[in-house]
Coordinates of all heavy atoms in Angstrom, one line a residue:
M1 N -5.8 46.1 53.0 CA -5.2 47.2 52.2 C -6.3 48.2 51.7 O -7.3 47.7 51.2 CB -4.5 46.6 51.0 CG -3.2 46.0 51.3 SD -1.8 47.1 51.5 CE -1.5 47.6 49.8
R2 N -6.1 49.4 52.0 CA -7.1 50.4 51.5 C -6.3 51.6 50.8 O -5.3 52.0 51.3 CB -7.9 51.0 52.6 CG -9.2 50.1 52.8 CD -10.0 50.8 53.9 NE -10.9 51.9 53.3 CZ -11.7 52.6 54.0 NH1 -11.9 52.3 55.3 NH2 -12.4 53.5 53.5
R3 N -6.9 52.1 49.8 CA -6.2 53.2 49.1 C -6.4 54.5 49.9 O -7.5 54.8 50.4 CB -6.8 53.4 47.7 CG -5.8 54.2 46.8 CD -6.5 54.3 45.4 NE -7.4 55.5 45.4 CZ -7.4 56.4 44.4 NH1 -6.6 56.2 43.4 NH2 -8.2 57.4 44.4
L4 N -5.3 55.3 50.0 CA -5.4 56.5 50.8 C -5.6 57.7 49.9 O -6.4 58.5 50.0 CB -4.1 56.7 51.6 CG -4.0 56.0 53.0 CD1 -2.7 56.3 53.5 CD2 -5.1 56.5 53.9
A5 N -4.7 57.8 48.9 CA -4.7 59.0 48.1 C -3.8 58.7 46.9 O -3.0 57.8 46.8 CB -4.1 60.1 48.9
Q6 N -4.0 59.6 45.9 CA -3.2 59.6 44.7 C -2.2 60.8 44.8 O -2.7 61.9 45.2 CB -4.1 59.7 43.5 CG -3.3 59.4 42.2 CD -4.4 59.4 41.0 OE1 -5.0 60.3 40.8 NE2 -4.5 58.2 40.4
A7 N -1.0 60.6 44.5 CA 0.0 61.7 44.6 C 0.3 62.2 43.2 O 0.2 61.5 42.2 CB 1.3 61.2 45.3
P8 N 0.6 63.5 43.1 CA 0.9 64.1 41.8 C 2.1 63.6 41.2 O 2.3 63.6 40.0 CB 1.0 65.6 42.1 CG 1.2 65.7 43.6 CD 0.5 64.5 44.2
N9 N 3.1 63.0 42.0 CA 4.3 62.5 41.4 C 4.9 61.6 42.5 O 4.5 61.6 43.7 CB 5.2 63.6 40.9 CG 5.6 64.5 42.0 OD1 6.2 64.1 43.1 ND2 5.4 65.8 41.8
L10 N 5.9 60.9 42.1 CA 6.5 59.9 43.0 C 7.3 60.6 44.2 O 7.3 60.1 45.2 CB 7.5 59.0 42.2 CG 8.1 57.9 43.0 CD1 7.1 57.0 43.7 CD2 9.0 57.0 42.1
A11 N 7.9 61.7 43.9 CA 8.6 62.4 44.9 C 7.7 62.7 46.1 O 8.0 62.6 47.3 CB 9.3 63.7 44.4
I12 N 6.5 63.3 45.7 CA 5.6 63.6 46.8 C 5.0 62.4 47.5 O 4.8 62.3 48.7 CB 4.5 64.5 46.2 CG1 5.0 65.9 45.9 CG2 3.2 64.6 47.1 CD1 4.1 66.8 45.2
A13 N 4.7 61.4 46.7 CA 4.2 60.1 47.2 C 5.2 59.6 48.3 O 4.8 59.1 49.4 CB 4.0 59.1 46.1
T14 N 6.4 59.6 47.9 CA 7.5 59.1 48.8 C 7.6 59.9 50.1 O 7.6 59.4 51.2 CB 8.8 59.1 48.1 OG1 8.7 58.4 46.9 CG2 9.9 58.4 49.0
L15 N 7.4 61.3 49.9 CA 7.5 62.2 51.0 C 6.3 61.9 52.0 O 6.5 61.8 53.2 CB 7.3 63.6 50.5 CG 7.6 64.7 51.4 CD1 9.1 64.9 51.6 CD2 7.0 66.0 51.0
W16 N 5.1 61.7 51.4 CA 3.9 61.4 52.2 C 4.1 60.1 53.0 O 3.8 60.0 54.2 CB 2.7 61.4 51.4 CG 2.2 62.7 50.9 CD1 2.7 64.0 51.3 CD2 1.2 63.0 49.9 NE1 2.0 65.0 50.6 CE2 1.2 64.4 49.8 CE3 0.4 62.2 49.1 CZ2 0.2 65.0 48.8 CZ3 -0.5 62.8 48.2 CH2 -0.5 64.2 48.1
A17 N 4.6 59.1 52.2 CA 4.7 57.8 52.8 C 5.7 57.8 53.9 O 5.5 57.2 55.0 CB 5.1 56.8 51.7
D18 N 6.8 58.5 53.7 CA 7.8 58.6 54.8 C 7.2 59.2 56.1 O 7.5 58.8 57.2 CB 9.0 59.3 54.3 CG 9.9 58.5 53.4 OD1 9.6 57.3 53.3 OD2 10.8 59.1 52.7
A19 N 6.5 60.3 55.8 CA 5.9 61.1 57.0 C 4.9 60.2 57.7 O 4.8 60.2 59.0 CB 5.2 62.3 56.5
L20 N 4.1 59.4 57.0 CA 3.1 58.6 57.6 C 3.7 57.4 58.4 O 3.3 56.9 59.5 CB 2.1 58.0 56.6 CG 1.2 59.2 56.0 CD1 0.2 58.6 55.0 CD2 0.3 59.8 57.1
R21 N 4.8 56.8 57.7 CA 5.5 55.7 58.4 C 6.2 56.2 59.7 O 6.3 55.5 60.6 CB 6.6 55.2 57.4 CG 6.1 54.3 56.3 CD 7.2 53.8 55.5 NE 6.6 53.2 54.2 CZ 7.1 53.6 53.0 NH1 8.2 54.4 52.9 NH2 6.6 53.1 51.9
A22 N 6.6 57.5 59.7 CA 7.2 58.0 60.8 C 6.2 58.1 62.0 O 6.6 58.2 63.2 CB 7.8 59.4 60.6
E23 N 4.9 58.1 61.6 CA 3.9 58.1 62.7 C 3.4 56.7 63.0 O 2.5 56.5 63.7 CB 2.6 58.8 62.1 CG 2.8 60.3 61.8 CD 3.1 61.1 63.1 OE1 2.5 60.8 64.1 OE2 3.7 62.2 63.0
G24 N 4.1 55.7 62.5 CA 3.9 54.4 62.8 C 2.9 53.7 61.9 O 2.4 52.6 62.3
L25 N 2.5 54.3 60.8 CA 1.5 53.7 60.0 C 2.1 52.8 58.9 O 3.3 53.1 58.4 CB 0.7 54.8 59.3 CG -0.1 55.7 60.3 CD1 -0.8 56.8 59.6 CD2 -1.0 54.9 61.1
D26 N 1.4 51.8 58.5 CA 1.9 50.8 57.5 C 1.5 51.3 56.1 O 0.5 50.9 55.6 CB 1.4 49.4 57.8 CG 1.8 48.4 56.8 OD1 2.8 48.7 56.1 OD2 1.1 47.4 56.6
V27 N 2.3 52.2 55.5 CA 1.9 52.8 54.3 C 2.8 52.3 53.1 O 4.0 52.2 53.3 CB 2.0 54.4 54.4 CG1 1.8 55.0 53.0 CG2 1.0 54.9 55.4
T28 N 2.3 52.0 52.0 CA 3.1 51.7 50.9 C 2.7 52.5 49.7 O 1.6 53.0 49.6 CB 2.8 50.2 50.5 OG1 1.4 50.0 50.3 CG2 3.3 49.2 51.5
V29 N 3.7 52.7 48.8 CA 3.4 53.4 47.6 C 3.3 52.4 46.4 O 4.1 51.5 46.2 CB 4.7 54.4 47.3 CG1 4.4 55.1 45.9 CG2 4.9 55.3 48.4
Q30 N 2.2 52.5 45.7 CA 1.9 51.6 44.6 C 2.0 52.3 43.3 O 1.9 53.5 43.2 CB 0.5 51.1 44.8 CG 0.1 50.5 46.1 CD 0.6 49.0 46.2 OE1 0.8 48.3 45.3 NE2 1.0 48.7 47.4
R31 N 2.3 51.4 42.3 CA 2.4 51.9 40.9 C 3.7 52.8 40.7 O 3.7 53.5 39.8 CB 1.2 52.8 40.5 CG -0.1 52.0 40.4 CD -1.2 52.9 39.9 NE -2.4 52.2 39.7 CZ -3.6 52.7 39.6 NH1 -3.7 54.0 39.5 NH2 -4.7 52.0 39.4
E32 N 4.6 52.7 41.6 CA 5.7 53.6 41.5 C 6.6 53.2 40.3 O 7.4 54.0 39.8 CB 6.5 53.6 42.7 CG 7.0 52.3 43.3 CD 7.5 52.5 44.8 OE1 8.3 53.4 44.9 OE2 7.1 51.7 45.6
Y33 N 6.4 52.0 39.8 CA 7.3 51.5 38.7 C 6.6 51.6 37.4 O 7.1 51.1 36.3 CB 7.9 50.2 38.9 CG 8.7 50.2 40.2 CD1 8.3 49.4 41.3 CD2 9.8 50.9 40.4 CE1 9.0 49.4 42.5 CE2 10.5 50.9 41.6 CZ 10.1 50.2 42.6 OH 10.8 50.2 43.8
L34 N 5.4 52.0 37.3 CA 4.6 52.0 36.1 C 4.9 53.2 35.2 O 4.4 53.3 34.1 CB 3.1 52.0 36.4 CG 2.6 50.6 36.8 CD1 1.0 50.7 36.9 CD2 2.9 49.6 35.8
G35 N 5.7 54.1 35.7 CA 6.0 55.3 34.9 C 6.6 55.0 33.5 O 6.3 55.6 32.6
A36 N 7.3 53.9 33.4 CA 7.9 53.5 32.2 C 6.8 53.1 31.1 O 7.0 53.2 30.0 CB 8.8 52.3 32.4
A37 N 5.7 52.7 31.6 CA 4.6 52.3 30.7 C 3.6 53.4 30.5 O 2.5 53.2 30.0 CB 3.9 51.0 31.3
A38 N 4.0 54.6 30.8 CA 3.0 55.7 30.9 C 2.3 55.9 29.6 O 1.2 56.3 29.5 CB 3.7 57.0 31.3
G39 N 3.0 55.6 28.5 CA 2.5 55.9 27.2 C 1.3 54.9 26.9 O 0.4 55.3 26.0
E40 N 1.1 53.9 27.6 CA 0.0 52.9 27.3 C -1.2 53.1 28.2 O -2.2 52.4 28.1 CB 0.6 51.5 27.4 CG 1.8 51.3 26.5 CD 2.5 50.0 26.9 OE1 1.9 49.2 27.7 OE2 3.7 49.8 26.5
L41 N -1.1 54.0 29.2 CA -2.2 54.1 30.1 C -2.6 55.6 30.2 O -1.8 56.5 29.9 CB -1.7 53.7 31.5 CG -1.3 52.2 31.7 CD1 -0.6 52.0 33.0 CD2 -2.6 51.4 31.7
P42 N -3.9 55.8 30.6 CA -4.3 57.2 30.8 C -3.5 57.8 31.9 O -3.1 57.1 32.8 CB -5.7 57.1 31.2 CG -6.1 55.7 30.9 CD -4.9 54.8 30.8
P43 N -3.2 59.1 31.8 CA -2.2 59.7 32.8 C -2.7 59.5 34.3 O -1.8 59.2 35.1 CB -2.3 61.2 32.5 CG -2.8 61.3 31.1 CD -3.6 60.0 30.8
D44 N -4.0 59.5 34.5 CA -4.4 59.3 35.9 C -4.2 57.9 36.4 O -4.4 57.6 37.6 CB -5.8 59.9 36.2 CG -6.8 59.0 35.4 OD1 -6.5 58.2 34.6 OD2 -8.0 59.2 35.8
Q45 N -3.9 56.9 35.5 CA -3.7 55.5 35.9 C -2.2 55.4 36.3 O -1.8 54.3 36.7 CB -4.0 54.6 34.8 CG -5.5 54.7 34.4 CD -6.4 54.1 35.5 OE1 -6.2 53.0 35.9 NE2 -7.3 55.0 36.0
C46 N -1.4 56.4 36.0 CA 0.0 56.2 36.2 C 0.6 56.9 37.4 O 1.7 56.7 37.8 CB 0.8 56.8 35.0 SG 0.2 56.1 33.4
L47 N -0.3 57.7 38.1 CA 0.2 58.4 39.3 C 0.4 57.4 40.4 O -0.4 56.5 40.6 CB -0.8 59.5 39.6 CG -1.0 60.6 38.6 CD1 -2.1 61.5 39.0 CD2 0.3 61.3 38.4
P48 N 1.4 57.7 41.2 CA 1.6 56.9 42.4 C 0.5 57.0 43.4 O -0.1 58.1 43.6 CB 2.9 57.3 43.0 CG 3.1 58.7 42.4 CD 2.4 58.8 41.1
E49 N 0.2 56.0 44.1 CA -0.9 56.0 45.1 C -0.3 55.5 46.4 O 0.6 54.7 46.5 CB -2.0 55.0 44.7 CG -2.7 55.5 43.5 CD -3.8 54.5 43.1 OE1 -3.7 53.3 43.5 OE2 -4.7 54.9 42.4
L50 N -1.0 56.0 47.4 CA -0.6 55.6 48.9 C -1.7 54.7 49.3 O -2.9 54.9 49.2 CB -0.5 56.8 49.8 CG 0.9 57.4 50.0 CD1 1.4 58.0 48.7 CD2 0.9 58.4 51.1
W51 N -1.2 53.5 49.8 CA -2.1 52.6 50.4 C -1.7 52.3 51.9 O -0.6 52.3 52.2 CB -2.0 51.2 49.6 CG -2.7 51.3 48.3 CD1 -2.3 52.1 47.1 CD2 -3.9 50.6 47.8 NE1 -3.2 51.9 46.1 CE2 -4.1 51.0 46.5 CE3 -4.7 49.7 48.4 CZ2 -5.2 50.6 45.8 CZ3 -5.8 49.2 47.7 CH2 -6.1 49.7 46.4
I52 N -2.8 52.0 52.6 CA -2.5 51.7 54.0 C -2.8 50.2 54.2 O -3.8 49.6 53.7 CB -3.4 52.5 54.9 CG1 -3.1 52.3 56.4 CG2 -4.9 52.3 54.7 CD1 -2.3 53.4 57.0
G53 N -1.8 49.6 54.9 CA -1.9 48.1 55.1 C -3.0 47.7 56.1 O -3.7 46.7 55.9
D54 N -3.2 48.6 57.1 CA -4.2 48.2 58.2 C -5.4 49.1 58.1 O -5.3 50.4 58.3 CB -3.5 48.5 59.5 CG -4.4 48.1 60.7 OD1 -5.5 47.8 60.5 OD2 -3.8 48.0 61.8
D55 N -6.5 48.6 57.7 CA -7.7 49.3 57.5 C -8.1 50.2 58.7 O -8.6 51.3 58.6 CB -8.9 48.4 57.2 CG -8.9 47.9 55.8 OD1 -7.8 48.1 55.2 OD2 -9.8 47.3 55.4
A56 N -7.7 49.7 59.9 CA -8.1 50.4 61.1 C -7.3 51.8 61.2 O -7.7 52.7 62.0 CB -7.8 49.6 62.4
Q57 N -6.2 51.8 60.4 CA -5.4 53.1 60.5 C -5.8 54.1 59.4 O -5.3 55.2 59.3 CB -4.0 52.8 60.4 CG -3.4 51.9 61.5 CD -1.9 51.6 61.3 OE1 -1.5 51.5 60.1 NE2 -1.2 51.4 62.3
H58 N -6.9 53.7 58.6 CA -7.2 54.5 57.4 C -7.6 55.9 57.8 O -7.1 56.9 57.2 CB -8.3 53.8 56.7 CG -8.7 54.4 55.4 ND1 -9.8 55.2 55.1 CD2 -8.0 54.4 54.2 CE1 -9.8 55.6 53.9 NE2 -8.7 55.1 53.3
A59 N -8.5 56.1 58.8 CA -9.0 57.4 59.1 C -7.8 58.3 59.7 O -7.7 59.4 59.3 CB -10.1 57.3 60.2
L60 N -7.0 57.7 60.5 CA -5.9 58.4 61.1 C -5.0 58.8 60.0 O -4.5 60.0 59.9 CB -5.2 57.5 62.1 CG -3.8 58.1 62.6 CD1 -4.1 59.4 63.3 CD2 -3.1 57.1 63.5
A61 N -4.7 57.9 59.0 CA -3.8 58.2 57.9 C -4.3 59.3 57.1 O -3.5 60.2 56.6 CB -3.5 57.0 57.1
L62 N -5.6 59.4 56.8 CA -6.2 60.4 56.0 C -6.1 61.8 56.7 O -5.8 62.8 56.1 CB -7.7 60.2 55.8 CG -8.0 59.1 54.7 CD1 -9.5 59.0 54.6 CD2 -7.4 59.5 53.4
R63 N -6.2 61.8 58.0 CA -6.1 63.0 58.8 C -4.6 63.5 58.7 O -4.4 64.7 58.5 CB -6.5 62.8 60.3 CG -8.0 62.9 60.5 CD -8.2 63.4 62.0 NE -7.6 62.5 63.0 CZ -8.1 61.3 63.3 NH1 -9.3 60.9 62.8 NH2 -7.6 60.5 64.2
L64 N -3.7 62.7 58.8 CA -2.3 63.0 58.8 C -2.0 63.5 57.4 O -1.2 64.5 57.2 CB -1.4 61.9 59.2 CG -1.5 61.4 60.6 CD1 -0.8 60.1 60.9 CD2 -0.9 62.5 61.6
L65 N -2.5 62.9 56.5 CA -2.3 63.2 55.1 C -2.8 64.6 54.7 O -2.2 65.4 54.1 CB -2.9 62.2 54.1 CG -2.4 62.1 52.7 CD1 -0.9 61.9 52.7 CD2 -3.0 61.0 52.0
A66 N -4.0 64.9 55.2 CA -4.6 66.2 55.0 C -3.8 67.3 55.7 O -3.6 68.4 55.1 CB -6.0 66.2 55.6
A67 N -3.2 67.0 56.8 CA -2.3 68.0 57.4 C -1.0 68.2 56.6 O -0.5 69.3 56.6 CB -1.9 67.5 58.8
L68 N -0.6 67.2 56.0 CA 0.6 67.3 55.2 C 0.3 68.1 53.9 O 1.2 68.9 53.5 CB 1.1 65.9 54.7 CG 1.8 65.0 55.7 CD1 2.1 63.6 55.1 CD2 3.2 65.6 56.1
R69 N -0.8 67.9 53.3 CA -1.2 68.6 52.1 C -1.5 70.1 52.4 O -1.3 70.9 51.6 CB -2.4 67.9 51.4 CG -2.1 66.6 51.0 CD -3.3 65.8 50.6 NE -3.4 65.6 49.2 CZ -4.2 64.6 48.7 NH1 -5.0 63.9 49.4 NH2 -4.3 64.5 47.4
H70 N -2.1 70.3 53.6 CA -2.5 71.7 53.9 C -2.0 72.0 55.3 O -2.7 72.0 56.3 CB -4.1 71.8 53.9 CG -4.7 71.3 52.6 ND1 -4.6 72.1 51.5 CD2 -5.3 70.2 52.3 CE1 -5.3 71.4 50.5 NE2 -5.7 70.3 51.0
P71 N -0.7 72.3 55.3 CA -0.1 72.7 56.6 C -0.8 73.9 57.2 O -1.2 74.8 56.6 CB 1.4 73.0 56.3 CG 1.4 73.1 54.8 CD 0.3 72.5 54.3
P72 N -1.1 73.8 58.5 CA -1.9 74.9 59.2 C -1.1 76.2 59.0 O 0.1 76.2 59.3 CB -2.0 74.4 60.6 CG -0.9 73.4 60.8 CD -0.7 72.7 59.4
Q73 N -1.8 77.2 58.6 CA -1.2 78.5 58.6 C -1.1 79.1 60.0 O -2.1 79.0 60.7 CB -2.1 79.5 57.7 CG -1.8 79.5 56.3 CD -0.6 80.3 55.9 OE1 0.0 80.9 56.8 NE2 -0.1 80.2 54.7
R74 N 0.1 79.6 60.2 CA 0.2 80.2 61.6 C -0.5 81.5 61.6 O -0.2 82.4 60.8 CB 1.7 80.3 62.0 CG 1.9 80.2 63.4 CD 3.3 79.8 63.7 NE 4.2 80.5 62.9 CZ 5.5 80.8 63.3 NH1 5.9 80.4 64.5 NH2 6.3 81.4 62.5
Q75 N -1.4 81.7 62.5 CA -2.1 83.0 62.6 C -2.5 83.2 64.1 O -2.7 82.2 64.8 CB -3.4 83.0 61.7 CG -4.1 81.7 61.8 CD -5.3 81.7 60.8 OE1 -6.4 81.2 61.1 NE2 -5.0 82.0 59.6
W76 N -2.5 84.4 64.4 CA -2.7 84.7 65.9 C -3.3 86.1 66.0 O -3.3 86.9 65.1 CB -1.4 84.7 66.6 CG -0.3 85.4 66.1 CD1 0.5 85.1 65.0 CD2 0.2 86.7 66.5 NE1 1.4 86.1 64.7 CE2 1.3 87.1 65.7 CE3 -0.1 87.6 67.6 CZ2 2.0 88.2 65.8 CZ3 0.7 88.7 67.7 CH2 1.7 89.0 66.9
H77 N -3.9 86.3 67.1 CA -4.6 87.6 67.4 C -3.7 88.4 68.3 O -3.3 87.9 69.4 CB -5.9 87.3 68.2 CG -7.1 87.5 67.2 ND1 -7.9 86.4 66.9 CD2 -7.6 88.5 66.5 CE1 -8.9 86.8 66.1 NE2 -8.6 88.1 65.8
C78 N -3.4 89.5 67.9 CA -2.5 90.4 68.7 C -3.4 91.1 69.8 O -4.6 91.3 69.6 CB -1.9 91.5 67.9 SG -0.8 92.5 68.8
A79 N -2.7 91.5 70.9 CA -3.5 92.2 71.9 C -4.1 93.5 71.5 O -5.1 94.0 72.0 CB -2.5 92.5 73.1
C80 N -3.5 94.1 70.3 CA -4.0 95.3 69.8 C -5.3 95.1 69.0 O -5.9 96.1 68.5 CB -3.0 96.1 69.0 SG -2.7 95.4 67.3
G81 N -5.6 93.9 68.7 CA -6.8 93.6 68.0 C -6.6 93.1 66.6 O -7.5 92.7 65.9
E82 N -5.3 93.2 66.1 CA -5.0 92.8 64.8 C -5.0 91.3 64.6 O -4.6 90.6 65.6 CB -3.6 93.3 64.3 CG -3.7 94.7 63.8 CD -4.6 94.9 62.6 OE1 -4.7 94.0 61.8 OE2 -5.2 96.0 62.5
F83 N -5.4 90.8 63.5 CA -5.3 89.3 63.2 C -4.1 89.1 62.3 O -4.1 89.7 61.1 CB -6.6 88.9 62.5 CG -6.7 87.4 62.4 CD1 -6.6 86.6 63.5 CD2 -6.9 86.9 61.1 CE1 -6.7 85.2 63.3 CE2 -7.0 85.5 61.0 CZ -6.9 84.7 62.1
V84 N -3.0 88.5 62.8 CA -1.8 88.4 62.0 C -1.7 87.1 61.4 O -1.8 86.1 62.0 CB -0.6 88.7 62.9 CG1 0.7 88.7 62.1 CG2 -0.8 90.0 63.7
E85 N -1.5 87.1 60.1 CA -1.5 85.8 59.3 C -0.1 85.7 58.5 O 0.6 86.7 58.4 CB -2.6 85.8 58.3 CG -4.0 85.7 58.9 CD -5.0 85.6 57.8 OE1 -5.3 84.4 57.4 OE2 -5.5 86.6 57.2
G86 N 0.1 84.5 58.0 CA 1.2 84.4 57.1 C 2.6 84.1 57.7 O 3.6 84.2 57.1
G87 N 2.5 83.6 59.0 CA 3.7 83.2 59.6 C 4.6 84.3 60.2 O 5.7 84.1 60.7
F88 N 4.0 85.6 60.3 CA 4.7 86.6 60.9 C 4.7 86.5 62.4 O 3.7 86.1 63.0 CB 4.1 88.0 60.6 CG 4.2 88.4 59.1 CD1 3.1 88.2 58.3 CD2 5.4 88.7 58.6 CE1 3.2 88.5 56.9 CE2 5.5 89.0 57.2 CZ 4.4 88.9 56.4
E89 N 5.9 86.7 63.0 CA 6.0 86.6 64.4 C 6.0 87.9 65.1 O 6.2 88.0 66.3 CB 7.3 85.9 64.8 CG 7.3 84.5 64.3 CD 8.6 83.7 64.7 OE1 9.4 84.2 65.5 OE2 8.6 82.5 64.4
Q90 N 5.6 88.9 64.4 CA 5.5 90.3 64.9 C 4.3 90.9 64.3 O 4.0 90.8 63.2 CB 6.8 91.1 64.6 CG 7.0 92.2 65.6 CD 8.3 92.9 65.3 OE1 8.8 92.9 64.2 NE2 8.8 93.7 66.2
C91 N 3.5 91.6 65.2 CA 2.3 92.3 64.7 C 2.7 93.4 63.7 O 3.5 94.2 64.1 CB 1.5 92.8 65.8 SG 0.1 93.8 65.3
W92 N 2.1 93.4 62.5 CA 2.5 94.4 61.6 C 1.9 95.8 62.0 O 2.3 96.8 61.5 CB 2.1 94.1 60.2 CG 0.6 93.9 60.0 CD1 0.0 92.7 60.1 CD2 -0.4 94.9 59.7 NE1 -1.4 92.9 59.9 CE2 -1.6 94.2 59.7 CE3 -0.3 96.3 59.5 CZ2 -2.8 94.9 59.5 CZ3 -1.5 96.9 59.3 CH2 -2.7 96.3 59.3
H93 N 1.0 95.7 62.9 CA 0.2 97.0 63.2 C 0.9 97.7 64.4 O 1.2 98.9 64.3 CB -1.2 96.6 63.6 CG -2.0 97.9 64.0 ND1 -2.4 98.7 63.0 CD2 -2.5 98.3 65.1 CE1 -3.2 99.7 63.6 NE2 -3.2 99.4 64.9
C94 N 1.3 97.0 65.4 CA 1.8 97.6 66.6 C 3.2 97.1 66.9 O 3.9 97.7 67.8 CB 0.9 97.4 67.8 SG 0.9 95.7 68.5
G95 N 3.7 96.1 66.2 CA 5.1 95.6 66.5 C 5.2 94.7 67.6 O 6.3 94.2 67.9
A96 N 4.1 94.3 68.3 CA 4.2 93.4 69.4 C 4.7 92.0 68.9 O 4.2 91.6 67.8 CB 2.9 93.3 70.2
P97 N 5.4 91.3 69.6 CA 5.8 89.9 69.2 C 4.7 88.9 69.5 O 3.8 89.2 70.3 CB 7.0 89.6 70.2 CG 6.8 90.4 71.4 CD 6.1 91.7 70.9
M98 N 4.7 87.9 68.7 CA 3.7 86.8 68.8 C 3.8 86.2 70.2 O 4.9 85.9 70.7 CB 3.9 85.7 67.8 CG 2.9 84.6 67.8 SD 3.1 83.5 66.4 CE 4.6 82.6 66.8
P99 N 2.7 86.0 70.9 CA 2.8 85.4 72.2 C 3.4 84.0 72.1 O 3.1 83.2 71.3 CB 1.3 85.3 72.6 CG 0.6 86.3 71.8 CD 1.4 86.4 70.5
G100 N 4.4 83.7 72.9 CA 5.0 82.4 73.0 C 6.1 82.3 71.9 O 6.7 81.2 71.8
A101 N 6.4 83.3 71.1 CA 7.4 83.2 70.1 C 8.8 83.3 70.7 O 9.0 84.0 71.7 CB 7.2 84.2 69.0
Ligands
ZN1 ZN1 -0.7 94.4 67.4

C-alpha cells in the first residue's frame, strides 16, 4: 500500500478513485469516515486520501491522477498562424475549423 494523494473532499476522492479503478488500478479511499471526528484532528488530518494497493502501479496511478487534476487544455495551431486555446473548435482569427473536428 502506498499513498497517492490527498483529496480536498470525499466527493473528489471518490471521483478520482473511480476513474483510477476504471483503468484497472487497485485504489482505495482512506479516512473517509473520519469526518465525524473532525473536531478532534487538525483539518489536514481529516481529508480523504487515495492509496494504491499495488506499489508497482504507483507511478502509473500518479500520472493518471495528474491528468485528472489538470485536464489537458485543447489547443491547436491554425493554418493562418493563430494559436487557438480554450477549447474553441474554430479559429477566432480566420474562422477555419479545427483540423479533425
Ligand atoms: Zn485561423
Side-chain angles (χ1 to χ4, degrees):
M1 287 280 283
R2 273 184 80 178
R3 200 180 87 133
L4 278 176
Q6 195 173 60
N9 60 57
L10 184 55
I12 289 178
T14 305
L15 192 79
W16 289 348
D18 285 349
L20 293 175
R21 284 182 196 130
E23 298 290 333
L25 299 178
D26 176 22
V27 173
T28 54
V29 178
Q30 304 283 330
R31 294 184 174 166
E32 53 191 313
Y33 301 115
L34 281 186
E40 300 165 19
L41 292 167
D44 68 345
Q45 297 291 303
C46 306
L47 295 173
E49 293 179 340
L50 263 66
W51 286 68
I52 184 98
D54 183 350
D55 284 9
Q57 295 179 332
H58 189 255
L60 172 62
L62 280 182
R63 275 206 303 279
L64 292 170
L65 200 55
L68 285 173
R69 294 167 112 160
H70 305 286
Q73 272 280 356
R74 209 158 44 152
Q75 44 188 223
W76 51 285
H77 260 116
C78 181
C80 76
E82 276 302 326
F83 189 57
V84 184
E85 294 183 90
F88 294 105
E89 294 188 358
Q90 206 177 17
C91 175
W92 61 266
H93 182 70
C94 73
M98 179 172 73

